[in-house]
Amino acid sequence: MAVRVLIVEDEEQIARFTELELKHEGYEVSKAKDGRTGLSMAEEGGYDIILLDIMLPELNGLEVLRRLRKTSDVPVIMLTARDSVMDKVSGLDSGADDYVTKPFAIEELLARIRVALKKHSGVEKEDDSTVLSYGLLKVNTAAYSVTYDGNPIELSKREFDLLSILLQNRNIVLSRDTLLGKVCGYDYFGETNVIDVYVRHVRSKIDEPYGITLIQTVRGVGYVIKDE
Ligand code: CA
């Protein structure tokens, strides 16, 4: 079955060119010209990947992404007009999978689409299996239970979510903002250092009693669980 792509882009020329190239590669393509239409099309579902411009009429791309992430984990590649570091950082923090800077070469976009789709299908497989393992640590995401070498560990809901997200994204450094969005919800208004607090709790319940290093701090960036 063809991969379905939604292009949310107000610049007609870019949208048209991208559509033609993607169709030529065998993708099925739909388009939206403003953020509001793009969001409602994306929310209806049925797309395998979304290419999302940032500067859009009605609702900007970052806002579209923030709202979409409440209900969907469809891969999203942001299209940034300028080489703006801030846009990229906010995009990735809001849950974008990748970004390309316009004007882009179609080969680069195609490569990034393939990577995002591949990464996503890997994550889905991990989501399906309800037990995440890390050495002697077993995290059952269906039963919300954690054991180390068979010994039960009591975690709060948010500590549990934090641990599962880091295990599912092994070797990927997640920023405090990203973790905050995933653990507390994107409309959470509060200090990002609550994440530091949850990390401390997890460490005191797992790392310290069992003498292991699970969650690593990446100074100035965030946290990561690396392969054993
Ligand atoms: Ca635009």
Side-chain angles (χ1 to χ4, degrees):
M1 219 170 72
V3 173
R4 290 145 306 170
V5 184
L6 173 63
I7 304 172
V8 188
E9 167 66 84
D10 59 319
E11 284 152 88
E12 189 61 46
Q13 236 180 332
I14 294 177
R16 184 88 191 113
F17 158 78
T18 310
E19 179 188 24
L20 286 175
E21 292 288 346
L22 289 177
K23 279 186 171 167
H24 183 70
E25 293 291 317
Y27 292 97
E28 232 171 68
V29 180
S30 304
K31 288 185 297 180
K33 280 187 207 164
D34 64 78
R36 204 165 291 281
T37 310
L39 177 63
S40 70
M41 287 172 78
E43 280 176 338
E44 275 170 32
Y47 299 103
D48 299 295
I49 189 160
I50 294 171
L51 308 179
L52 182 58
D53 184 28
I54 289 187
M55 302 289 275
L56 284 170
E58 309 246 352
L59 210 57
N60 76 54
L62 290 173
E63 191 52 36
V64 170
L65 179 63
R66 246 173 246 129
R67 296 190 191 183
L68 179 64
R69 277 293 175 255
K70 289 180 183 173
T71 56
S72 165
D73 66 345
V74 62
V76 173
I77 297 178
M78 305 299 290
L79 308 175
T80 69
R82 353 163 219 143
D83 200 2
S84 157
V85 175
M86 262 324 288
D87 281 352
K88 283 171 194 169
V89 171
S90 336
L92 294 175
D93 276 348
S94 310
D97 297 80
D98 207 347
Y99 56 83
V100 288
T101 307
K102 294 189 280 188
F104 49 82
I106 196 68
E107 291 76 18
E108 186 194 357
L109 180 66
L110 291 169
R112 290 190 188 263
I113 289 175
R114 282 193 295 270
V115 169
L117 288 171
K118 206 171 148 196
K119 207 168 95 185
H120 189 73
S121 64
V123 169
E124 260 181 353
K125 253 175 239 133
E126 221 167 3
D127 277 347
D128 287 344
S129 74
T130 50
V131 179
L132 302 166
S133 315
Y134 186 87
L136 296 170
L137 183 77
K138 308 278 177 220
V139 175
N140 187 319
T141 56
Y144 263 86
S145 67
V146 184
T147 58
Y148 189 87
D149 200 10
N151 301 306
I153 296 166
E154 292 287 330
L155 295 182
S156 73
K157 164 90 165 62
R158 286 184 170 176
E159 291 159 10
F160 184 92
D161 289 343
L162 175 80
L163 178 62
S164 314
I165 290 156
L166 285 166
L167 279 173
Q168 281 164 346
N169 291 281
R170 217 169 292 191
N171 299 316
I172 300 171
V173 179
L174 299 179
S175 71
R176 285 178 179 77
D177 282 340
T178 301
L179 287 167
L180 194 70
K182 288 179 186 289
V183 172
C184 303
Y186 286 105
D187 39 13
Y188 174 85
F189 290 105
E191 299 293 321
T192 53
N193 66 15
V194 297
I195 292 300
D196 301 330
V197 174
Y198 295 139
V199 168
R200 231 167 21 239
H201 290 171
V202 171
R203 283 175 175 159
S204 74
K205 290 175 180 178
I206 303 175
D207 297 45
E208 290 162 22
Y210 296 104
I212 58 167
T213 304
L214 190 60
I215 302 175
Q216 300 187 21
T217 306
V218 181
R219 200 181 288 225
V221 187
Y223 295 102
V224 63
I225 292 180
K226 290 192 180 155
D227 277 337
E228 300 147 65

